[in-house]
Amino acid sequence: MPPVLSPRNPQQKIIKRVIALEGDLIRTRGYKNRYVKIPDGHFWIEGDHHGHSLDSNSFGPISMGLVHARASHIIWPPHRWQKITPHLPPDRAPLLSLREDPAEDQDE
């Protein structure tokens, strides 16, 4: 989950799940196009609460240049302290991946 600068407000950082990388074909959730092939130098992010999240379904593929960092742990609130493990909901996997080995991206 990378913190990225919001494409709509560069003063704001947002943390979302990476759903697809450049070259992937995905089915969107409410974006203007039902299917999107992620262009070179971009990726697709989504929040965990569909319909209540400002994410790629609102503004499209995100430039990799907007990545600020990578979230590794939840530290607040204290009762949620934990390491973030990579997880892609099964219904959000890319329909087609043109990358060499898409499985290796799950471990990053």
Side-chain angles (χ1 to χ4, degrees):
M1 293 185 155
V4 299
L5 297 176
S6 170
R8 290 203 175 150
N9 178 359
Q11 302 301 315
Q12 179 184 23
K13 292 183 183 115
I14 56 178
I15 298 178
K16 305 294 177 185
R17 183 182 314 275
V18 174
I19 300 298
L21 299 174
E22 57 188 358
D24 289 347
L25 176 67
I26 60 154
R27 180 176 34 238
T28 68
R29 290 181 161 177
Y31 185 59
K32 63 184 176 183
N33 300 327
R34 183 72 175 137
Y35 298 94
V36 172
K37 180 181 179 253
I38 309 305
D40 290 344
H42 291 73
F43 59 102
W44 190 268
I45 59 173
E46 291 183 356
D48 289 340
H49 303 289
H50 172 63
H52 301 286
S53 181
L54 188 60
D55 58 23
S56 288
N57 287 294
S58 302
F59 38 70
I62 303 292
S63 170
M64 289 184 185
L66 294 177
V67 172
H68 182 72
R70 179 179 175 192
S72 63
H73 291 75
I74 296 172
I75 59 171
W76 195 261
H79 73 275
R80 292 193 58 214
W81 284 1
Q82 62 184 299
K83 181 177 180 177
I84 298 173
T85 56
H87 170 71
L88 185 61
D91 66 329
R92 298 310 302 142
L95 300 173
L96 173 66
S97 181
L98 301 177
R99 289 175 280 129
E100 296 275 327
D101 184 4
E104 70 186 26
D105 293 324
Q106 292 294 317
D107 297 331
E108 292 182 6

